[in-house]
Amino acid sequence: MKIHLIGVPSAGKSTLGQALSKHLGFAHYALDELAFVDDRWTLRPTSERNAMLDEILAKPSFITEGGFLSWTDDLFAESDLILWLDPPLSVLVWRHVRRFARHPWWIPSLVRFQIQSYRRPAGAGPAKDDPNQTRAGIMAALEPWRAKVFRVQRGVDASEIAAFLNRREQH
């Protein structure tokens, strides 16, 4: 089983990905580690990033998570299930504020980034490395893969997703 989690910032991708990894016993990969070389979001060279992604894709099972669109088509194609975490804006803003509470001076710009990611059309997002990283951009990018997309608009835990996978396998 190959699972990819996608969503805008603070959608819960990392939290659910780590929990699913423990619950299902699959390796978990955060795509931020492929995209960036450091904590200052310095982009990794494309050839190096693509080689790292190819290593993950060659594995028999995995859980990946990230909001990236410009270089993840092979990941979408290879995944058996794409979980689109799409909670309401109020939940996203609350999670963002809670996450960065120790840096209160960052909160206004981060909340603005969050709102722009949620509301802007595809191609007009605030992420300079991938302006399609918006809710609308994700929706458009997932269209070709809609048969394996499961959109989650509320909080879920790993056991709920595992039960969903079991029901899917039985049919």
Side-chain angles (χ1 to χ4, degrees):
M1 174 67 61
K2 298 178 179 186
I3 302 170
H4 180 61
L5 287 77
I6 190 165
V8 297
S10 295
K13 301 176 298 292
S14 297
T15 301
L16 183 58
Q18 291 166 2
L20 274 174
S21 176
K22 287 179 185 168
H23 195 83
L24 299 173
F26 300 163
H28 169 257
Y29 303 94
L31 295 186
D32 282 354
E33 295 171 15
L34 277 68
F36 307 110
V37 296
D38 57 31
D39 292 343
R40 295 179 305 171
W41 300 53
T42 305
L43 290 173
R44 184 178 300 280
T46 302
S47 60
E48 188 178 324
R49 181 199 67 212
N50 291 346
M52 293 170 76
L53 182 60
D54 288 344
E55 285 181 32
I56 294 169
L57 292 172
K59 297 187 180 302
S61 61
F62 58 72
I63 297 168
T64 54
E65 50 91 357
F68 303 98
L69 295 171
S70 64
W71 50 273
T72 53
D73 277 351
D74 290 345
L75 180 58
F76 293 146
E78 191 68 26
S79 294
D80 300 305
L81 175 67
I82 301 168
L83 290 171
W84 176 18
L85 304 184
D86 186 30
L89 180 58
S90 59
V91 171
L92 294 168
V93 169
W94 168 245
R95 288 177 181 170
H96 226 59
V97 168
R98 193 176 63 203
R99 177 186 291 175
F100 294 102
R102 67 186 178 281
H103 304 290
W105 53 93
W106 292 359
I107 290 175
S109 64
L110 292 170
V111 168
R112 192 169 31 259
F113 183 93
Q114 182 70 54
I115 292 168
Q116 290 171 346
S117 295
Y118 191 84
R119 291 193 171 151
R120 284 191 177 173
K128 57 184 170 271
D129 58 304
D130 190 350
N132 279 315
Q133 284 181 287
T134 62
R135 186 170 181 252
I138 291 169
M139 183 181 296
L142 294 179
E143 182 59 27
W145 318 108
R146 69 179 171 268
K148 53 184 169 178
V149 173
F150 182 63
R151 186 175 179 184
V152 180
Q153 295 183 286
R154 61 174 182 79
V156 296
D157 63 27
S159 62
E160 286 180 87
I161 299 300
F164 168 76
L165 292 172
N166 285 335
R167 286 191 305 273
R168 242 178 86 166
E169 285 181 10
Q170 292 172 359
H171 289 92

